[in-house]
Amino acid sequence: MIVLSHYQAAPLLQARQEGRRTAITSLDLGISTAEVAIELDFVAFPNGDTLDWECIREIQRSPLKCFAVEASSIREIKVFSTQTNWMRTLMPTGGAPTTLVSGTLMHRIKDTDPYRDTLSKIRAIAPVHGRVLDTATGLGYTAIAAAKTAAQVVTIELDPAALEIARQNPWSRGLFDNPKIVQIIGDTYDVVRTLDAGAFDRIIHDPPAFSLAGDLYSAAFYRELYRVLAPGGRLFHYIGDINSKSGARVTPGIIRRLQEAGFNRVVRHPEAFGVTAVR
């Protein structure tokens, strides 16, 4: 599948304006590059697909959208979830795309991109090895990054619509073709209670905003995370900008509840927008 955003449309329009017969752009949102033919009425891609210039201009005019190329036309990558009543859309950045869920960004994009943001979380609990629990799949970036060094990654997603978006995102391919990644669809709060004690060496807890999933910030849930973490295991808990006004308000309570659940060495990591803790 060819997937384009305004970042990829811009060099095509520039090549046409300059009268060139070919242009170099990406057909997978920046992962790789390809040469495409610039014709009078359309762009021709290496796989034989074409798009007329009005489609290219529509992509260029849509900075918050990603489009799949299908049968010489474009389709915005978005999914409405009948389970959560949330609209999910794939949103481009200068690097890996993110998702907008009911208008809320699911990744940091200021001074970073979603994949580099993910790597900062991974580094906070390095080395990542053994079995890893990822409590919120989303686009799968955490699971993909952790699986590079872990023996196995178990990743949980509440909303099947999130996985439908991920299947259309070139940056999420590893979520579906890496045998070390095990996907579970269900409510993380309930699923974690069914997991074996001490089963994971690392946990990456990157929940939705408190307003969307307050139970994933509760003392009861933290006790379950403590239970499934192996002795000496490490937890990363994403919070948001802990130095912001809202971060300064919520972070102390999160730290207190983690400590009450049994975690020790709870350390703030402002560079990763979260805290780490050890069992």
Side-chain angles (χ1 to χ4, degrees):
M1 179 189 295
I2 294 174
V3 183
L4 304 174
S5 74
H6 70 101
Y7 290 103
Q8 290 76 50
L12 303 179
L13 292 165
Q14 183 177 353
R16 185 191 192 209
Q17 183 177 5
E18 294 174 355
R20 290 188 275 123
R21 297 299 304 274
T22 63
I24 301 296
T25 192
S26 177
L27 308 182
D28 51 16
L29 298 180
I31 296 174
S32 64
T33 58
E35 185 177 73
V36 301
I38 305 298
E39 305 292 349
L40 179 62
D41 297 321
F42 59 85
V43 171
F45 300 108
N47 68 351
D49 284 340
T50 63
L51 274 184
D52 64 37
W53 287 106
E54 181 52 39
C55 286
I56 300 296
R57 284 190 289 268
E58 181 179 346
I59 296 171
Q60 176 66 16
R61 293 192 297 263
S62 306
L64 301 182
K65 300 177 181 180
C66 295
F67 297 86
V69 177
E70 295 178 339
S72 298
S73 63
I74 55 176
R75 171 181 56 80
E76 181 186 351
I77 297 179
K78 63 180 180 180
V79 177
F80 178 77
S81 172
T82 56
Q83 178 168 329
T84 62
N85 290 323
W86 297 339
M87 176 64 76
R88 293 178 177 267
T89 60
L90 193 65
M91 175 182 151
T93 75
T98 184
T99 47
L100 280 170
V101 180
S102 293
T104 301
L105 278 171
M106 291 293 104
H107 297 90
R108 294 167 55 198
I109 61 173
K110 184 179 180 181
D111 301 323
T112 187
D113 66 63
Y115 197 71
R116 285 193 293 148
D117 177 35
T118 296
L119 294 181
S120 70
K121 302 168 190 174
I122 297 290
R123 284 193 296 268
I125 53 170
V128 172
H129 58 78
R131 297 187 75 217
V132 177
L133 175 63
D134 169 28
T135 65
T137 307
L139 290 175
Y141 297 158
T142 297
I144 293 167
K148 291 180 178 179
T149 57
Q152 185 185 63
V153 179
V154 175
T155 181
I156 307 169
E157 176 54 53
L158 169 68
D159 191 356
L163 300 181
E164 188 175 343
I165 286 284
R167 286 187 182 279
Q168 301 176 73
N169 175 24
W171 288 79
S172 299
R173 288 171 185 158
L175 180 63
F176 304 100
D177 61 23
N178 190 332
K180 294 198 294 183
I181 298 176
V182 177
Q183 295 184 41
I184 298 176
I185 297 176
D187 188 324
T188 294
Y189 187 88
D190 296 325
V191 171
V192 169
R193 295 167 63 186
T194 71
L195 300 175
D196 292 339
F200 298 95
D201 301 283
R202 297 289 186 271
I203 296 176
I204 303 166
H205 183 41
D206 187 1
F210 183 87
S211 59
L212 298 176
D215 56 348
L216 299 185
Y217 295 79
S218 68
F221 183 69
Y222 292 165
R223 286 193 293 271
E224 288 299 317
L225 292 182
Y226 182 84
R227 183 185 64 82
V228 301
L229 188 62
R234 300 178 188 175
L235 162 78
F236 175 81
H237 187 327
Y238 180 83
I239 298 172
D241 185 357
I242 61 178
N243 290 330
S244 68
K245 182 180 294 186
S246 61
R249 184 175 65 252
V250 303
T251 301
I254 290 173
I255 291 175
R256 174 180 52 77
R257 291 192 297 277
L258 287 172
Q259 291 171 333
E260 290 173 350
F263 288 100
N264 58 72
R265 290 161 54 191
V266 182
V267 177
R268 297 169 185 253
H269 285 266
E271 80 288 353
F273 278 37
V275 298
T276 59
V278 176
R279 175 173 176 181

